[in-house]
Amino acid sequence: MISQANHATVPRVSVLMTIYNAEPYLRAAIDSIIGQTFLDWELIAVENGSTDKSMSVLKNYADPRVRVFPLEKNIGRTPALRLAFDQAQGDYIAVLDADDISLPDRLARQVEFLDLHPDVALVGSWAQHIDEHGKVFGVFEPPDNQEELQDCLGWTNPIVHSSAMYRRHLAQEVGGYPEGIVWAQDLGLTLALARRAKIAMIADHLCQLRVLTASMTRSRKNQILVANEALLLFRRAADTLQLSAKARRLNRRAMAIAKIKLGVATLRSGSFREGLKMVLHGFVAAPSALWGNGPVRRFFGAKV
């Protein structure tokens, strides 16, 4: 596979972008990288078999830092991310989804942070939520305290993928994005990195996260997959991370919610007895899981 352009020197940062039918928003996403105040980057753009005009948008870029890898058919999100990861040359890897936006000083701020904190494997940032038209309608602001941030991994994903920057060599050591995880591959990698070193948060809005009504996490056909992966990864967090007593309670609550969601999706698929058993098991495990306005309820439905 040959990239559209070759980077003459090794960049400090490789930005991963996987693209599938992102034509309406793709130019804004790429332009937000080209407009960065930090200039020493490459963009690894994997065009994942789109059926729209995404490839035509990519062909308009002559910047040699934009490296395009076109695929004839869609190979899935995780394989496309693994392909992009394998092409990365930078010391640091950043991520930007093809419908999201990086604010102009995002890369500069994160490179500076990782340079100053060699004990940190991954740094994220706060994010603004934008709609299809780019209008800001909300924010995502996880804690920037390191212990509280790690605790969050027990019951949610506090790292917006389009805000993440991590050390390439550490990600290589843990195997990169985990094969077999279809929806939450970013959380899978974050958990693996958190077992090796610290994760951190810049308490500033450095990216804009586009929330679309047809997102994968809201599709009925993917609800069973999403709930199963949530159970798997939250169990992994409980087994491998040093969580506080409060975080462990929230972990059990998050797994109960995942079981209830899995049960409801199973009921809808026609397996009444199995689905009902899962729902009841979830309520028994955490009777208050779906009540109140606690942190699990606030965060569990967020795009991550």
Side-chain angles (χ1 to χ4, degrees), residues 17 97 102 105 129 135 238:
M17 179 182 291
D97 287 353
S102 288
D105 61 345
H129 288 148
K135 182 180 179 180

Side-chain angles (χ1 to χ4, degrees), residues 78-101:
T78 301
L81 276 170
R82 288 178 63 86
L83 171 61
F85 180 87
D86 288 343
Q87 304 303 319
Q89 304 174 84
D91 295 330
Y92 303 143
I93 291 181
V95 183
L96 185 66
D97 287 353
D99 53 0
D100 294 338
I101 302 291

Side-chain angles (χ1 to χ4, degrees), residues 7 11 24 29 32 38 43 57 67-68 73 96 98 107 110 116 156 174 206 220 225 240 263 265 287:
H7 201 288
S32 77
F38 183 86
L43 174 62
V57 174
R67 303 173 59 204
V68 179
K73 62 180 182 179
L96 185 66
L107 297 184
Q110 292 186 311
L116 292 174
T156 188
V174 301
L206 301 182
R220 283 191 177 185
L225 169 66
T240 60

Side-chain angles (χ1 to χ4, degrees), residues 104-137:
D105 61 345
R106 175 204 167 183
L107 297 184
R109 295 274 301 276
Q110 292 186 311
V111 167
E112 179 183 30
F113 187 96
L114 290 176
D115 283 348
L116 292 174
H117 299 86
D119 57 337
V120 171
L122 177 151
V123 62
S125 78
W126 288 356
Q128 296 174 329
H129 288 148
I130 59 174
D131 63 16
E132 289 92 337
H133 308 292
K135 182 180 179 180
V136 176
F137 67 88

Side-chain angles (χ1 to χ4, degrees), residues 132-267:
E132 289 92 337
H133 308 292
K135 182 180 179 180
V136 176
F137 67 88
V139 295
F140 185 71
E141 298 179 345
D144 60 333
N145 175 277
Q146 199 276 324
E147 291 182 2
E148 292 181 17
L149 185 64
Q150 177 158 307
D151 266 354
C152 283
L153 292 173
W155 52 274
T156 188
N157 184 354
I159 307 293
V160 170
H161 201 204
S162 284
S163 82
M165 181 181 287
Y166 52 86
R167 299 183 190 275
R168 180 167 65 95
H169 77 278
L170 286 180
Q172 286 176 322
E173 289 176 8
V174 301
Y177 292 96
E179 294 183 277
I181 301 294
V182 175
W183 165 70
Q185 62 287 112
D186 56 329
L187 178 57
L189 176 57
T190 299
L191 288 174
L193 290 172
R195 293 196 295 270
R196 299 292 299 273
K198 295 178 181 179
I199 62 171
M201 179 67 57
I202 295 175
D204 202 356
H205 304 105
L206 301 182
C207 78
Q208 294 183 322
L209 180 69
R210 200 179 302 273
V211 179
L212 304 175
T213 55
S215 66
M216 180 180 180
T217 57
R218 297 179 184 180
S219 170
R220 283 191 177 185
K221 69 179 181 180
N222 289 302
Q223 287 178 352
I224 292 177
L225 169 66
V226 170
N228 269 320
E229 291 190 1
L231 280 172
L232 170 68
L233 293 173
F234 290 144
R235 286 194 187 107
R236 187 175 297 174
D239 292 342
T240 60
L241 299 181
Q242 293 184 344
L243 301 175
S244 69
K246 178 181 178 181
R248 290 193 175 277
R249 289 195 300 272
L250 290 173
N251 173 268
R252 291 191 293 271
R253 198 171 168 193
M255 287 195 288
I257 289 175
K259 288 176 183 177
I260 292 168
K261 288 187 174 184
L262 179 59
V264 171
T266 303
L267 281 168

